[in-house]
Amino acid sequence: MRRGLGGVVDDELRVYGVKGLRVADASIIPTLVAATTQLTVYTIAEKVAAMIKETWERPHGQG
């Protein structure tokens, strides 16, 4: 796991230093958006749900 530049989550939204915790809300958006964030947050939630599903479907010992 490689630390980002000033962030608290990695590229799979896992919180650095906390095993088993992901963040899937607007706090991970790196810059301000000029529109409503609702669709962006829904998209983040869908993406992290797919990441979690993929993690659980992997055979043990492979990630």
Side-chain angles (χ1 to χ4, degrees):
M1 186 170 12
R2 205 178 86 197
R3 289 188 184 261
L5 299 173
V8 296
V9 295
D10 66 8
D11 58 346
E12 292 194 21
L13 306 179
R14 295 177 295 218
V15 176
Y16 294 122
V18 182
K19 186 176 180 176
L21 179 63
R22 294 182 195 239
V23 172
D25 64 14
S27 70
I28 66 160
I29 302 171
T31 59
L32 295 173
V33 293
T36 180
T37 58
Q38 183 176 2
L39 181 59
T40 304
V41 173
Y42 286 168
T43 304
I44 292 166
E46 289 288 331
K47 180 65 178 173
V48 78
M51 288 178 191
I52 292 168
K53 183 178 178 185
E54 180 182 313
T55 299
W56 279 97
E57 290 176 344
R58 266 188 237 143
H60 292 283
Q62 293 187 9

